[in-house]
Amino acid sequence: MRKWQIVQRFLPILTVMLLLAGCGAPELSALDPSGVVAEKQLSLIILSLAIMVFVFLVVIVIFTYVLIRYRAKPGQEDEIPEQVEGNHKLEIIWTVIPILLLIVLAIPTVMTTFTLAEEAPEEGDAMRVEVVANQYWWEFRYPDHGIVTAQELHIPTGEKVYVTLDSNDVIHSFWVPAIAGKMDNNPGLTNNFWLQADQAMTYDGRCTELCGPSHALMNFKVVAQEPDEFESWVESMQNFEDVAEEEVESEAVALGREVYATNCISCHAIDSTQEGGIGPNLAGFGDREFFAGLFMKPSDDPESANEELKSWIREPYKYKPDNNMPEFPESQISDEELDALVEYLHSLTLE
């Protein structure tokens, strides 16, 4: 096969690959920063990219010049060109220039690294959050507010949020590209950094350390709210209470509450101050637009969302292999009880 035929065959594939490389959710891109941390990191990306492009172009220009300038001319096919070994001037140039480029890259990188590793001040009203990773879900603790939530991290806009990172099992990595960098959650070792969101919106987060068969499904959301909205959410979480048994008006909710107490309460807390459960804390579950790290609850199609939730409860391994949640077959929870359980979960709102 001729070379041009090979190129002709692979060119469309290469073109498609390049086009697909540009696809992706805008809220999951480090190239569209929405906070000072992400802006600093984007600056480092641009700086390192500029240095790499500069080196690449210099090498290509020199390579092309030498290729043309010293090519074999007609009548010189059998001649051996002059052999030159050792040139102090050239050796100094190609040694000093890379060192200078590394210094240019290293200084802002080290300065930014230390800046972003700043720990929360011991005094003052600094916003603190403890992020604890589990296979395959996230817990977010607010030590100054005395509340715990899961899968959705709420933060105020325009304010530094000091984060500590830990893990209960294996190594994970916390990454919110639009507002924060990536840092590992290590079991037995606490890492620190801070993040900041300037726009009130919901950002996507991912685990970026291969942590098991369902690593790619260990997603979470960061809900950045205006400060007054965030304070309102904190107050609602602090005052969150399960509906008292005597106050339950719906028979389905009452039945679902019994099903939860029998099958779920040993792993899932609904007390917004309780941390460290086997599964995610479900306080405020009814207000979340996202559950299990992979299902959205579309407000325009609640029936589909309910079916996904019921399917998840029945066969969690089907969606997240190797997760810790057991299956609940019909022999353990009947269809009627499952409908009631879903009804009860939706009743766990902050209102």
Side-chain angles (χ1 to χ4, degrees):
M1 183 183 296
R2 294 180 178 179
K3 290 183 179 179
W4 69 269
Q5 289 178 317
I6 297 176
V7 173
Q8 193 175 34
R9 289 188 177 184
F10 282 95
L11 189 59
I13 298 176
L14 182 62
T15 303
V16 171
M17 291 174 63
L18 289 174
L19 290 174
L20 291 177
C23 297
E27 64 273 17
L28 196 62
S29 172
L31 302 179
D32 187 17
S34 186
V36 62
V37 175
E39 289 172 355
K40 287 178 180 292
Q41 293 168 343
L42 179 59
S43 298
L44 289 179
I45 292 173
I46 293 173
L47 176 62
S48 58
L49 184 63
I51 291 175
M52 286 186 285
V53 170
F54 169 74
V55 172
F56 175 77
L57 291 177
V58 169
V59 171
I60 290 298
V61 168
I62 294 176
F63 175 76
T64 306
Y65 170 77
V66 171
L67 204 63
I68 297 174
R69 174 69 177 79
Y70 297 102
R71 71 188 188 281
K73 299 179 177 60
Q76 297 180 329
E77 290 81 359
D78 297 328
E79 292 185 13
I80 298 178
E82 180 184 357
Q83 302 299 296
V84 179
E85 295 182 3
N87 186 307
H88 288 166
K89 186 181 294 184
L90 285 177
E91 290 173 358
I92 291 174
I93 290 175
W94 67 50
T95 301
V96 171
I97 289 181
I99 292 176
L100 292 176
L101 292 177
L102 286 176
I103 292 175
V104 170
L105 183 60
I107 290 177
T109 300
V110 173
M111 291 177 63
T112 303
T113 300
F114 279 98
T115 300
L116 300 184
E118 174 188 337
E119 296 184 20
E122 295 182 359
E123 299 180 355
D125 298 326
M127 176 73 196
R128 299 176 177 84
V129 177
E130 298 171 358
V131 176
V132 182
N134 303 266
Q135 284 180 313
Y136 300 94
W137 58 280
W138 299 86
E139 182 171 85
F140 305 113
R141 305 169 182 170
Y142 299 74
D144 298 324
H145 301 92
I147 55 176
V148 178
T149 186
Q151 298 298 93
E152 289 186 358
L153 170 62
H154 288 248
I155 61 172
T157 56
E159 183 177 340
K160 278 186 177 180
V161 178
Y162 294 93
V163 177
T164 61
L165 301 172
D166 291 286
S167 171
N168 277 335
D169 37 53
V170 300
I171 299 176
H172 303 273
S173 196
F174 179 88
W175 185 51
V176 191
I179 58 173
K182 181 181 84 71
M183 186 168 283
D184 286 350
N185 296 61
N186 299 306
L189 176 66
T190 300
N191 283 329
N192 300 278
F193 80 125
W194 59 274
L195 56 84
Q196 180 174 321
D198 291 337
Q199 297 180 37
M201 59 180 289
T202 300
Y203 301 91
D204 279 350
R206 295 284 188 274
C207 174
T208 52
E209 181 70 33
L210 182 59
C211 56
S214 291
H215 156 70
L217 305 173
M218 191 173 163
N219 307 330
F220 62 97
K221 300 285 185 184
V222 178
V223 183
Q225 300 169 294
E226 296 295 340
D228 55 341
E229 294 180 2
F230 173 74
E231 290 300 327
S232 176
W233 176 81
V234 169
E235 185 177 356
S236 298
M237 284 291 287
Q238 289 172 330
N239 297 323
F240 175 80
E241 291 182 356
D242 186 17
V243 180
E245 185 174 355
E246 60 273 13
E247 296 178 359
V248 175
E249 297 180 356
S250 165
E251 292 184 5
V253 173
L255 176 59
R257 196 169 188 273
E258 293 178 10
V259 176
Y260 165 81
T262 304
N263 300 277
C264 314
I265 197 170
S266 59
C267 296
H268 295 281
I270 52 174
D271 179 347
S272 61
T273 64
Q274 186 174 336
E275 62 184 44
I278 297 175
N281 190 309
L282 299 179
F285 179 87
D287 293 318
R288 298 177 190 170
E289 289 297 318
F290 183 70
F291 68 92
L294 67 161
F295 295 114
M296 297 297 293
K297 294 196 298 185
S299 55
D300 57 343
D301 192 2
E303 286 300 322
S304 296
N306 286 344
E307 290 304 315
E308 287 182 331
L309 179 55
K310 286 186 279 189
S311 183
W312 162 257
I313 295 172
R314 282 271 189 246
E315 299 177 296
Y317 272 51
K318 176 181 174 183
Y319 300 96
K320 270 191 175 181
D322 197 41
N323 82 87
N324 290 324
M325 183 166 167
E327 295 181 347
F328 289 94
E330 193 172 352
S331 58
Q332 188 170 352
I333 298 179
S334 69
D335 287 341
E336 181 187 5
E337 291 173 331
L338 184 59
D339 290 340
L341 177 59
V342 169
E343 191 82 15
Y344 170 68
L345 292 175
H346 286 311
S347 75
L348 300 175
T349 65
L350 300 179
E351 296 178 355

